Amino acid sequence: MNIKIIKIFRQKGVQGSLTVEAAIIVPIVLFCVLWMVQGGIALYVDTVEVVQQQEMWKDFHPALQFRKLELLEKMIDMGK
């Protein structure tokens, strides 16, 4: 099938133009994709820095809070 496509392009006089176009377009597309990935990584790094700077997360222990609430509920139930 590839041979048929090549023969069609040769008959129409489009011998090397596809290679030239691809040599221009592929680097542009690759640059755009890598630029978006770099932006995503930068956003991730900024988010991690903001979370690390927040004081409230240093003293937040969800398991400990849950245990305290469970103990409180047991104490209230025993008092009734």
Side-chain angles (χ1 to χ4, degrees):
M1 178 152 181
N2 292 335
I3 297 172
K4 292 179 184 178
I5 294 173
I6 293 171
K7 286 181 183 179
I8 291 171
F9 284 130
R10 284 187 182 166
Q11 290 173 354
K12 294 185 178 185
V14 189
Q15 295 173 357
S17 67
L18 290 178
T19 305
V20 173
E21 290 173 5
I24 295 170
I25 292 174
V26 169
I28 292 171
V29 170
L30 186 62
F31 172 77
C32 291
V33 169
L34 292 176
W35 185 44
M36 288 187 287
V37 169
Q38 188 268 338
I41 291 172
L43 182 62
Y44 171 76
V45 168
D46 291 343
T47 305
V48 168
E49 289 175 359
V50 167
V51 169
Q52 287 177 349
Q53 290 174 358
Q54 290 180 348
E55 296 277 331
M56 64 182 246
W57 294 111
K58 292 181 181 178
D59 297 328
F60 182 65
H61 303 287
L64 183 61
Q65 294 289 86
F66 179 76
R67 288 188 201 115
K68 286 181 182 179
L69 288 174
E70 289 290 316
L71 181 61
L72 181 63
E73 286 178 6
K74 285 182 185 178
M75 297 294 279
I76 291 172
D77 287 341
M78 288 180 150
K80 289 182 181 180

